[in-house]
Amino acid sequence: LKRLIKQFHTTVDDVCGTGKSSSSSSSSSKSKSKSNNNSYIICSSTCILISSLVNQHMASDILLLEILLILLESPNNWTMTIIIELIEINGKYLLNHSDNGNISLMSIYDRLREILAEANSNEYNLTYLIQKKIENLFLLKKNNFVSCKILISTELDLIEDNEHITF
């Protein structure tokens, strides 16, 4: 588990652009871009898996909120894409089923509002598409995530809350 967490932090650092590079040649620039793309794919897939586990009540919403906060520390097009995906998947759950999620979701939206304002003043290099997706997140929240569904299969044999054993 410790190795997985370390790998995830390294991947997030690569996606956020805070990873360390040892050489500065033009060929390393291409390999760094390819490495960043692979890191984005790994990070995105891992985050979507964790968000699905949260929706299925197999992981804590606090884990998801921490991931969102880590990604919000250094916003760029890739981290914002992951944040948008996570909020689209878990926004309704965080709003309705989580004690911590409603307050934390408000603070995440406050930070998104700041990022959007700073992106309009060219402090962050966010594309127009990402800015529009962030604006759409505000519309989703305004409508209480009505268009988003929590994907819990009715065929699952769910364990009652008082019978959960978690570590």
Side-chain angles (χ1 to χ4, degrees):
L1 183 60
K2 288 180 182 179
R3 192 174 71 201
L4 179 64
I5 292 170
K6 184 177 178 182
Q7 170 89 28
F8 182 73
H9 277 288
T10 304
T11 305
V12 169
D13 287 344
D14 288 345
V15 170
C16 293
T18 59
K20 295 175 178 66
S21 172
S22 60
S23 64
S24 60
S25 67
S26 63
S27 63
S28 70
S29 167
K30 290 179 183 178
S31 66
K32 183 179 178 184
S33 174
K34 188 174 182 180
S35 172
N36 283 347
N37 193 23
N38 289 339
S39 296
Y40 166 75
I41 292 169
I42 292 168
C43 186
S44 176
S45 300
T46 305
C47 288
I48 290 172
L49 171 68
I50 291 170
S51 69
S52 297
L53 291 174
V54 169
N55 272 344
Q56 297 292 334
H57 304 281
M58 297 178 73
S60 173
D61 57 330
I62 295 172
L63 175 64
L64 182 67
L65 293 169
E66 287 180 7
I67 290 171
L68 286 168
L69 291 175
I70 289 170
L71 292 172
L72 281 169
E73 287 176 1
S74 48
N76 61 35
N77 287 324
W78 286 0
T79 58
M80 294 309 296
T81 302
I82 295 171
I83 290 167
I84 291 165
E85 289 174 358
L86 292 177
I87 293 176
E88 286 175 347
I89 293 170
N90 288 94
K92 187 171 188 172
Y93 175 84
L94 292 173
L95 192 64
N96 297 328
H97 295 92
S98 172
D99 297 333
N100 305 318
N102 197 8
I103 296 169
S104 299
L105 197 59
M106 288 189 320
S107 66
I108 288 170
Y109 269 93
D110 289 341
R111 178 68 179 130
L112 286 173
R113 190 174 292 110
E114 291 171 8
I115 290 170
L116 194 57
E118 292 169 1
N120 289 334
S121 67
N122 294 326
E123 183 159 335
Y124 296 116
N125 191 16
L126 298 179
T127 62
Y128 181 74
L129 178 63
I130 297 296
Q131 293 177 26
K132 285 298 176 188
K133 285 184 176 184
I134 293 172
E135 291 173 6
N136 286 338
L137 281 180
F138 286 103
L139 291 175
L140 273 176
K141 183 178 176 261
K142 182 180 179 183
N143 295 327
N144 291 324
F145 298 96
V146 172
S147 61
C148 300
K149 296 179 182 177
I150 298 176
L151 303 174
I152 296 180
S153 176
T154 57
E155 300 171 1
L156 293 176
D157 186 20
L158 298 177
I159 298 173
E160 298 298 322
D161 287 340
N162 59 356
E163 297 176 359
H164 281 196
I165 299 173
T166 58
F167 300 97

